[in-house]
Amino acid sequence: DGMVSNMGAVTGIAAGTGSHFVVVLSGLVIIAVESISMAVGSYLSSKSEQEIDERKLNEERFELKTYPQEERDELTEMYVKDGWPPVLAKEMATAASQNKDLFLQEMAYRELKIIPNNGNHPFHNGLAMGIAYIAGGAVPLVPYFIIGSPLAAIPVSVAVTLIGLFALGAYTTKF
């Protein structure tokens, strides 16, 4: 997204002004503003998701403490539903209920579909998004640094951006 939006903006500015300085400055400003916006958005989204998961885990902790037998029976049913033999499912649920952290982990995963301590770090997510956006946004701007004429740099910028998008698509498909 950063590559395409920056390419569109820089191309329009290059075609409209023909000024090398204005194109490069505008491209850098766009990259700075959009990368900060994307980083903050990613941070807030991750933080919100983390807070919702923590609220759900706190509710589950309360249920495990207040209704241990009902929660153990519920876990047994989930194990059976997953294909475990009923006798083994009951033994597994009983064993899990003896360790409060394991009990919470099993209920969180099986009932709430969340993984406690999943390594979600909002700050790191925001930072990674900001860096990725800077890298992606820089791709269409590089030709304007190398080629002196903004109008001559337009087709190169478009080509480099398309190649970058193809490479990114191929990379993400592979992994």
Side-chain angles (χ1 to χ4, degrees):
D1 184 42
M3 274 192 256
V4 175
S5 63
N6 201 29
M7 181 198 68
V10 171
T11 300
I13 293 167
T17 68
S19 168
H20 183 262
F21 176 76
V22 171
V23 171
V24 171
L25 179 62
S26 299
L28 291 174
V29 168
I30 291 166
I31 290 170
V33 170
E34 288 189 358
S35 65
I36 291 169
S37 173
M38 294 298 288
V40 169
S42 179
Y43 169 80
L44 292 175
S45 174
S46 295
K47 185 76 170 157
S48 176
E49 182 180 337
Q50 185 181 49
E51 289 172 357
I52 289 169
D53 286 351
E54 190 56 42
R55 182 184 53 80
K56 289 179 182 179
L57 287 172
N58 285 334
E59 289 173 5
E60 192 62 36
R61 279 186 191 95
F62 174 78
E63 290 177 9
L64 293 176
K65 186 177 180 180
T66 308
Y67 312 106
Q69 181 59 46
E70 291 83 353
E71 293 294 302
R72 190 170 34 251
D73 293 344
E74 185 178 359
L75 183 57
T76 301
E77 291 173 19
M78 287 185 270
Y79 284 144
V80 170
K81 185 178 177 186
D82 285 348
W84 293 99
V87 173
L88 182 56
K90 185 171 184 160
E91 289 176 24
M92 290 168 52
T94 300
S97 70
Q98 302 305 312
N99 177 328
K100 70 177 185 167
D101 294 331
L102 180 59
F103 202 13
L104 176 63
Q105 177 182 310
E106 286 296 297
M107 293 302 287
Y109 172 72
R110 295 183 185 284
E111 181 180 25
L112 304 175
K113 307 295 186 225
I114 60 175
I115 300 171
N117 305 316
N118 65 359
N120 179 17
H121 301 285
F123 179 77
H124 294 141
N125 293 349
L127 183 63
M129 176 61 81
I131 291 169
Y133 206 91
I134 290 169
V139 169
L141 190 59
V142 168
Y144 292 96
F145 280 103
I146 297 169
I147 301 170
S149 167
L151 296 178
I154 290 173
V156 177
S157 176
V158 171
V160 167
T161 301
L162 293 175
I163 291 168
L165 287 171
F166 176 78
L168 181 62
Y171 178 78
T172 55
T173 299
K174 183 177 180 180
F175 293 101

